Amino acid sequence: MGRWAEGTIVALVATIPAFAGAAADDIGNNPFRLEAALANGRFSLALRPRYNRIDETAKPLRTEGGTLRAAAGWRSAPFEGLRLTVEAIHADHIGAKHFNDDAALLATSPYPLLPDPRYTGVNQAYVDYTGLDATRFRLGRQVVRFGNQRWVSDNDFRQVPQVFDGVGVVNTSLANTELSASYFRRVRTTSGVVNDLRLTLVNAAWNPASGHAIAAYGVFHDQAANGAFTGLTDNSYRALGVRAEGAFGAWKGIEIPYIAEFAQQRPYARGDSLVRGNYWRVGAGAGTSAWTLRGDYEVKGSNRGVYGVQMPLTDFYAYNGWTLHFFNTPRTGLRDGWLTARYAIGAVTLYGEAHRFRSDYGDRSLGRELDLGVTYAFTASLQARLQHARYDPGAGTPDPGIRKTWLTLSYVY
């Protein structure tokens, strides 16, 4: 646990007597509101055991083994516009360990990397304040899902999610508009390591009509060594972008979803001058509550073959394929065109993605990937999911072939 998180927890605990004093002064004939807020808090529990199997042609051994996430939390009822949330997490291995969970050993281990180490600590600890009209402040360690999560997310596929220490504010006082800003000084990575950073996020979203949104955003990420293995001394960047997304209603309950997004990544806070590239994505499809068909095309541009747009704080499993082969964008950039299909019948949901990758600079084939999954919902709280991903490299590239299979059981209370 980082020093900032420890200090936050101490501060949150210390506020309870202060709340009690405020209650004695402010609530007159109802001195039990604080006690009621604590007594009426809600507990939460999440369990997620997973079987993992990974084969890579560049590694002599197969990764195989079980991992587990167990998270338990508590959230108070509101009191004087304040609400406290705390959550602990424990990540562990199940059974024999035939894998490498340390990215530092990636080059030397005979096993393909499975980045789910053991970890126990505070997952979230924050206070919400909603005492101002149409405004919410949040202070502490928290999950961050920024916009459509392309630039910043909690990377929740990993057993240890990514969380941030800082403060954020959201305001909805303008009609059909949401304004938000946040600032974070620490990040706990999916490896359980707490690193310093300076991350500022701003977003302005407007709903011009029901089911449609237009947003402008900024990401200011000051962290020299941020997980983007570019070879540059300082990878700090800013990204300024705009996005339009939504869905049009159509015949017999069919909707036509769409997205269009453009952003520029440039150096920030002493970032290397080579940190430069454009990002854009377009996508559309058709779907109902039972099925979806859509196509998307995304470009993480290249600075003339020396730097490709990096997104080190995002959920890589949600984009560019489940095998995580493109955890870092190649220097020549990445063009990803993919098709998505989903079909649900009863408790079963089938899902698939097919990707074709090319470089932005030089237009070379970087391979293809097929991702398939089936989910069975036993109840609203309990489900099982089987996933398989296959990446095949492009001709003439040094990249390995990759096969990954996961079987995950999820329970949420």
Side-chain angles (χ1 to χ4, degrees):
M1 189 192 314
R3 297 184 305 275
W4 199 97
E6 292 174 345
T8 299
I9 294 169
V10 171
L12 297 185
V13 173
T15 59
I16 293 177
F19 292 170
D25 292 337
D26 300 337
I27 62 179
N29 295 327
N30 189 5
F32 303 109
R33 287 178 58 190
L34 175 60
E35 289 82 349
L38 298 175
N40 293 323
R42 177 178 173 81
F43 288 92
S44 64
L45 176 68
L47 300 174
R48 195 170 73 175
R50 174 183 290 151
Y51 165 77
N52 309 264
R53 172 173 164 162
I54 306 174
D55 293 281
E56 289 187 15
T57 56
K59 295 292 186 179
L61 299 180
R62 168 183 293 163
T63 277
E64 192 167 15
T67 57
L68 169 70
R69 173 199 290 185
W74 177 80
R75 188 183 192 193
S76 73
F79 170 74
E80 300 293 327
L82 293 162
R83 173 173 275 182
L84 171 66
T85 299
V86 292
E87 183 182 58
I89 189 170
H90 175 69
D92 211 334
H93 303 150
I94 304 172
K97 177 187 173 185
H98 300 293
F99 55 85
N100 166 40
D101 62 2
D102 186 352
L105 303 178
L106 179 62
T108 58
S109 173
Y111 291 104
L113 179 65
L114 174 60
D116 280 329
R118 290 186 169 99
Y119 175 81
T120 301
V122 175
N123 196 45
Q124 298 192 79
Y126 61 83
V127 168
D128 285 328
Y129 177 69
T130 56
L132 300 179
D133 184 49
T135 304
R136 187 203 72 197
F137 292 90
R138 177 168 291 179
L139 169 67
R141 172 166 290 185
Q142 56 195 273
V143 164
V144 178
R145 301 185 180 104
F146 182 68
N148 67 348
Q149 303 184 54
R150 192 58 184 106
W151 291 94
V152 183
S153 80
D154 56 348
N155 207 346
D156 192 55
F157 184 87
R158 297 267 54 95
Q159 298 289 36
V160 179
Q162 179 175 254
V163 292
F164 297 84
D165 298 339
V167 61
V169 58
V170 179
N171 179 273
T172 57
S173 58
L174 299 177
N176 303 317
T177 301
E178 180 180 281
L179 305 176
S180 66
S182 52
Y183 178 72
F184 302 101
R185 287 289 284 116
R186 303 281 189 275
V187 56
R188 191 206 59 205
T189 71
T190 57
S191 297
V193 177
V194 177
N195 294 324
D196 292 339
L197 85 168
R198 291 179 175 86
L199 176 65
T200 302
L201 306 175
V202 292
N203 187 74
W206 175 54
N207 294 111
S210 178
H212 303 271
I214 299 172
Y217 61 84
V219 178
F220 304 87
H221 182 189
D222 181 7
Q223 185 184 16
N226 58 35
F229 303 111
T230 62
L232 305 179
T233 302
D234 193 326
N235 292 283
S236 299
Y237 67 87
R238 63 169 171 84
L240 302 178
V242 292
R243 181 177 64 255
E245 62 182 324
F248 295 98
W251 180 65
K252 290 190 175 180
I254 297 175
E255 290 189 335
I256 309 298
Y258 67 90
I259 186 170
E261 183 169 358
F262 175 79
Q264 290 186 325
Q265 187 177 63
R266 297 293 185 266
Y268 173 69
R270 302 174 303 281
D272 194 287
S273 62
L274 295 178
V275 176
R276 185 173 296 271
N278 295 337
Y279 166 82
W280 60 271
R281 175 188 172 190
V282 293
T288 68
S289 59
W291 59 268
T292 300
L293 289 172
R294 68 173 292 154
D296 290 86
Y297 192 75
E298 179 187 76
V299 176
K300 291 192 278 187
S302 173
N303 181 10
R304 296 175 294 179
V306 296
Y307 175 86
V309 167
Q310 303 293 326
M311 297 173 168
L313 299 177
T314 192
D315 183 350
F316 299 99
Y317 284 89
Y319 301 92
N320 306 136
W322 295 346
T323 64
L324 258 190
H325 178 63
F326 293 106
F327 182 87
N328 285 278
T329 307
R331 296 186 181 189
T332 52
L334 181 67
R335 300 179 186 175
D336 180 7
W338 74 97
L339 299 174
T340 301
R342 177 190 63 89
Y343 182 71
I345 178 170
V348 178
T349 301
L350 305 175
Y351 184 89
E353 291 181 2
H355 295 257
R356 288 202 175 196
F357 304 108
R358 301 191 71 83
S359 66
D360 180 55
Y361 182 82
D363 193 29
R364 296 178 58 230
S365 172
L366 296 181
R368 62 181 64 189
E369 178 165 327
L370 179 64
D371 302 327
L372 300 172
V374 56
T375 301
Y376 184 83
F378 297 96
T379 67
S381 300
L382 179 65
Q383 67 176 25
R385 188 180 190 193
L386 177 65
Q387 298 169 266
H388 180 71
R390 307 168 60 91
Y391 170 76
D392 294 304
T397 69
D399 299 333
I402 303 172
R403 304 290 185 265
K404 294 187 177 183
T405 301
W406 305 272
L407 177 60
T408 306
L409 187 66
S410 301
Y411 173 76
V412 178
Y413 171 76

